[in-house]
Each structure stands twice: as structure tokens, then as C-alpha cells.
Amino acid sequence: MGGKRQKNQRQMELAFSQTTSQGEAHGAVERGVELPGTMSEPEGPVSTERLMEEVCERENLRKAFRQVKANRGSPGVDGMTVGELSDYLKRDWPAIRQQLLDGAYMPKPVRRVEIPKPDGGVRKLGIPTVLDRFIQQAVMQVLQSRWDPAFSECSFGFRPNRSAHQAVAQAQKYVAEGYCWVVDIDLEKFFDRVNHDMLMGRVAKRVADKRVLRLIRAYLNAGVMENGLVSPTDEGTPQGGPLSPLLSNLVLDDLDKELERRGHRFARYADDCNIYVASERAGQRVMTSIKKFITSKLKLKVNEAKSAVAEPRKRKFLGFTLRRKRHIAWQSLKRFKQRVRELTMRRGMSLEEEVRILSVYLRGWGQYYSFCQTPTTLERLDCWIRRRLRCSIWRRWRTGRTKYAQLARLGLPRTQAKTIIAGNLGPWRVSRTPAIHLALPDAYFDSLGLARLAARRTT
């Protein structure tokens, strides 16, 4: 297997490197691309007039390929899977590369996918083809390395070495400094409403390579396939492609710079922006002026229903509420419990499989929300989850005879088993009785591999 992987890797490198005619070799060396049988000079700074050559460099392509494979994702309109991309590139990359260098490449439409939002409604995603995701990733890597250093220190979304946790910590720092009112601004359908001409104007200020500009414009105008029909797109940056987050940060960098110019304390993660001020009156003043800037300068719309001036403890920022400590927002807890209910109400599934699927969700959720500073919340959730599972197990033991046999197998004394069965309690009430806790202790669920949200205490 190891030899096969090495062979495939060598074939991929060959596809990325042996794509020029002999007459292009000298130009490739000048650009720092090492071709077979040539020696490269040390790479110098590349002008933005030749960005497409930098996009098509072998190391950049290898990095993009690895990232697309790691992200996996669904097929686009052509049905090609991530696993099929390698063989496709080995065969067709030379022609695709030439199209990119000639400025003639045309992306395919994105596939429309709708996913439910936690607070209702749907979020529309546009899934590019795997090939277009690969090319977008290669372009994004080159542009991000140039643009990111100039972005605001208060911007945390979709940027290398930055995270939602850092944004929450920054907001908490402002609250601790006495800025105890928040101007919570939510942009309405931001990704669907970005003006293409305005966006391309910002890109053109930073990129001189006309081929890259044409390619980005082509991705914006590629269209959306829904129910077999392709609709044109004249605004928005479809969520689902690697390039969209970087372009969104480019648009909202204008907002960041305006907030910095005014001396505001803020934290922004994608289109979720919180500004911290010392009083409610100041907050209302800031809300009015910033809404005007967003509407007139950015040509975007503020979601009035989701935006407000309030105390941080009454608002949710990236799943948390801020007081003296970081708390998990009640909306996040509500969604969590609903999801756990869904995962513990499935029929026709063994207990072991149910616990395995549930644990996958718990590990992901817990990895993010363990950032809270209230461990008792996580401990209570662990207790509630085990109660849900005890309830699920009791339902599985449908008849009194089965329940008696299972309780006896688990070591529960006969008198206690008979008492709990004779009580004729519902599954939820049974799940909190001492007898069922004795038969199904916490250690039982640990033995099944149930993930815990709270750190285990050692004695």
C-alpha cells in the first residue's frame, strides 16, 4: 500500500510539473518552478501581474490538493467525487492549466443545497465541482497570503491561526474593561447579497493579473443549478467554495477599517459583528451610524430582527453569552438537547451503535463548547444524556419478563427489580430511580465508549 501511495504521489507531481512545452521551460525557471532537467534560481517576489503562474506552481497545487482531500465534501453538478479527482488531474491537468494561463478557463455552475438554520429557515449553499474547489483553493492560498496581513486584528473568521474562541475571548476582554453594552449587528443574507461590481473593484485594487480577475468574476457568475435548471447569479458569493470566505472578508474589511478609524472596540467573525461601548445611549448612537455606513457604503442590509443594543449577558455571540464568565447560550443548549433527543430516539439500532453515533456528536460539540467557564453546565448535560440513554434502554426492554431478566443480568437484586417493574412508571420517570442507576451506573456507559462533555474527576 505504501509503495502504491508513493507511486500515485509521483504521478501527481509529474502531472503538475510536466505541463509546459520545451519552449516554456526557460520562463518556468524564471518563475521559480523546477521542471525535470532544469535548475531553478532562488524564488523572488512575484508581481501581481503574474499571479496565475503562482497559482499554478507545483507546491501550491499540491497544498490545494491535500486540502480538498481533507475537506472531502459532496460532488458538484458533474458528479465527480473527491476520490476521483486524482486520476482526473493526472489525465487532464495539462490542458486545464493551459486554459488557466490563457485566461480561458470557465467554471461549472454550483449545485444548490439547502440546510436548515438553527433558528429556522434555510441556508443556501452552492457546492462547486471538485475540480473548481481545487482551483479555488489554489487561488485562495495565493491571495490569502497577500491579503491577510492587512486585515484587522479584530477580524477572526476564516483566517489562518484565528478562531471563534479568540473572538469570544476578545469580546470578553472588552466587557471586563467596563464596556458593558454591545451593539450586536447581524447582516441579512450577507453571502447572497454582495454586489459583484463592488467586490471586483476591491479585488482589482489588489490584483493586476487580468486572468485572475476574469477567473474570480467567472466564479461569481457561474450560476446555480437547482432541480436540473441553471439560474444566473448577479450578486452574492455562494457559500460552499474555498474562495467565498476570503472574498467576504475582503468586503467586510471596509467595515473593520471604519470601526478602527472611529476608535471602536469590536470583534467580528464573518458577518457576525459585535461592538462594545460604555452605555446604552452610546450603543444606540453607534447602531444608527454603522447601519447607515453598511447600507450606503457596503450596499448591504442589516437584519433588524437579529440586531440590537443590549447587555452582553442578554445576547449570543458565537454560541456564548458573556458575563463575568463565559456561559453557553441558552439557544445553543436548546439545540444541543434537541439533537441528542433525535439521536436517542432511533428505532432498529443497537445500543452500541446508538452510543457510537451519539459520541461522535458529543465530541465535536464538546470540543467547541468546553471553552465555557461553567463546567457544572457540562456536568449537568452529561447527567441528562445518561438519563436519556437509561430511558432508551428501558423502552428497548418491552415486556415485564424481559425487563426482569435484564435487570437480574445486570446484578440488580430481585426485590428491587420486581418493585420497579410493578411500579408501572413511564420510561422517563424510571430513568431517574435509584434502582435503574444501580443497574446502569455511569461506569456502564463508560464501558460502551460514551463520550463525556465534562472532564472526568480522578479520586
Side-chain angles (χ1 to χ4, degrees):
M1 290 295 291
K4 184 177 181 180
R5 282 197 298 270
Q6 291 177 356
K7 181 180 178 181
N8 287 339
Q9 184 66 31
R10 287 195 297 270
Q11 289 175 333
M12 285 298 299
E13 291 181 9
L14 194 62
F16 288 153
S17 60
Q18 292 181 334
T19 56
T20 58
S21 64
Q22 291 181 353
E24 293 177 288
H26 178 68
V29 171
E30 289 181 340
R31 295 190 299 272
V33 182
E34 185 176 350
L35 296 175
T38 69
M39 295 186 64
S40 61
E41 296 293 329
E43 184 177 0
V46 181
S47 166
T48 59
E49 293 181 355
R50 300 188 67 81
L51 273 183
M52 190 60 80
E53 279 76 11
E54 190 174 345
V55 168
C56 293
E57 283 182 356
R58 178 170 44 177
E59 189 54 41
N60 186 55
L61 295 173
R62 290 176 61 188
K63 182 180 177 182
F65 180 76
R66 288 194 298 266
Q67 190 61 51
V68 170
K69 283 191 66 176
N71 290 342
R72 301 179 186 177
S74 304
V77 295
D78 62 355
M80 185 191 300
T81 66
V82 173
E84 296 169 333
L85 178 61
S86 177
D87 289 337
Y88 179 82
L89 291 176
K90 292 172 191 174
R91 183 180 68 250
D92 294 328
W93 176 247
I96 296 168
R97 179 182 185 275
Q98 194 58 53
Q99 290 177 25
L100 290 169
L101 293 176
D102 292 342
Y105 179 82
M106 292 300 297
K108 289 183 170 61
V110 299
R111 181 170 63 88
R112 172 72 78 210
V113 176
E114 293 184 349
I115 60 174
K117 288 184 177 181
D119 53 355
V122 295
R123 176 177 286 110
K124 294 183 178 181
L125 298 183
I127 309 300
T129 65
V130 176
L131 174 62
D132 283 325
R133 295 208 295 271
F134 167 67
I135 296 172
Q136 282 194 39
Q137 180 69 30
V139 173
M140 187 276 292
Q141 289 167 179
V142 171
L143 296 182
Q144 186 176 62
S145 66
R146 294 167 177 270
W147 296 354
D148 192 79
F151 287 159
S152 171
E153 287 297 312
C154 296
S155 166
F156 296 90
F158 309 120
R159 298 181 60 189
N161 303 315
R162 288 175 172 265
S163 68
H165 287 173
Q166 291 174 329
V168 174
Q170 180 79 359
Q172 187 179 21
K173 177 174 175 287
Y174 295 141
V175 175
E177 291 173 351
Y179 297 91
C180 297
W181 287 85
V182 60
V183 182
D184 186 354
I185 297 176
D186 184 89
L187 299 178
E188 187 173 306
K189 297 182 179 179
F190 166 70
F191 286 93
D192 298 330
R193 292 187 171 173
V194 172
N195 182 280
H196 286 180
D197 292 335
M198 183 191 69
L199 171 57
M200 289 307 302
R202 284 160 172 75
V203 176
K205 290 179 181 179
R206 296 163 173 82
V207 174
D209 192 324
K210 302 298 184 183
R211 298 165 298 178
V212 174
L213 293 175
R214 282 196 294 269
L215 181 62
I216 294 175
R217 173 71 82 167
Y219 275 122
L220 294 175
N221 296 336
V224 175
M225 179 175 284
E226 196 168 11
N227 299 321
L229 299 175
V230 177
S231 303
T233 50
D234 52 11
E235 64 177 0
T237 59
Q239 297 183 72
L243 197 53
S244 181
L246 178 63
L247 296 178
S248 69
N249 270 335
L250 181 62
V251 172
L252 292 176
D253 187 57
D254 283 6
L255 174 61
D256 298 339
K257 294 298 190 291
E258 179 65 14
L259 293 174
E260 290 176 344
R261 187 185 68 79
R262 299 185 185 189
H264 288 312
R265 293 157 180 81
F266 70 98
R268 182 178 67 79
Y269 191 95
D271 56 342
D272 197 348
C273 182
N274 278 9
I275 307 166
Y276 292 86
V277 295
S279 68
E280 182 179 11
R281 185 175 179 180
Q284 295 293 351
R285 189 167 57 248
V286 170
M287 174 68 85
T288 301
S289 62
I290 293 301
K291 278 168 49 177
K292 182 178 179 181
F293 175 83
I294 290 172
T295 303
S296 61
K297 299 296 185 181
L298 301 185
K299 310 300 181 185
L300 297 170
K301 186 177 179 180
V302 174
N303 189 326
E304 300 285 351
K306 294 183 178 180
S307 302
V309 176
E311 297 173 88
R313 63 186 178 86
K314 296 180 180 179
R315 302 298 294 178
K316 173 174 67 73
F317 184 48
L318 301 177
F320 296 90
T321 56
L322 302 177
R323 304 171 194 175
R324 286 183 297 177
K325 295 180 178 180
R326 293 186 294 270
H327 294 251
I328 302 175
W330 66 266
Q331 299 95 324
S332 302
L333 293 174
K334 181 180 178 181
R335 290 196 298 269
F336 171 79
K337 287 191 172 184
Q338 180 57 35
R339 183 57 179 154
V340 171
R341 289 188 185 98
E342 293 170 359
L343 294 175
T344 54
M345 292 175 63
R346 299 185 177 186
R347 297 180 179 273
M349 183 181 295
S350 68
L351 177 63
E352 291 76 13
E353 182 67 8
E354 185 176 284
V355 168
R356 186 191 67 78
I357 294 174
L358 177 61
S359 292
V360 171
Y361 174 67
L362 295 180
R363 290 188 189 98
W365 193 90
Q367 184 176 8
Y368 182 78
Y369 284 101
S370 62
F371 190 61
C372 77
Q373 295 173 313
T374 54
T376 54
T377 300
L378 300 178
E379 292 171 2
R380 286 195 296 268
L381 287 176
D382 277 331
C383 291
W384 179 82
I385 292 165
R386 289 191 291 268
R387 186 178 178 186
R388 287 287 312 174
L389 288 172
R390 292 184 181 105
C391 181
S392 175
I393 292 170
W394 189 255
R395 286 196 182 99
R396 292 170 187 271
W397 301 339
R398 295 182 178 276
T399 66
R401 179 174 296 180
T402 301
K403 291 172 181 175
Y404 182 83
Q406 291 291 347
L407 291 172
R409 182 182 64 82
L410 292 167
L412 190 69
R414 292 182 179 181
T415 54
Q416 288 183 277
K418 289 179 180 179
T419 300
I420 192 173
I421 294 170
N424 200 27
L425 300 174
W428 187 243
R429 292 183 65 185
V430 167
S431 65
R432 66 176 298 177
T433 59
I436 202 70
H437 276 255
L438 183 62
L440 300 170
D442 294 354
Y444 174 78
F445 297 106
D446 291 339
S447 69
L448 293 176
L450 178 66
R452 292 199 186 202
L453 300 174
R456 298 185 190 182
R457 295 180 178 177
T458 57
T459 57

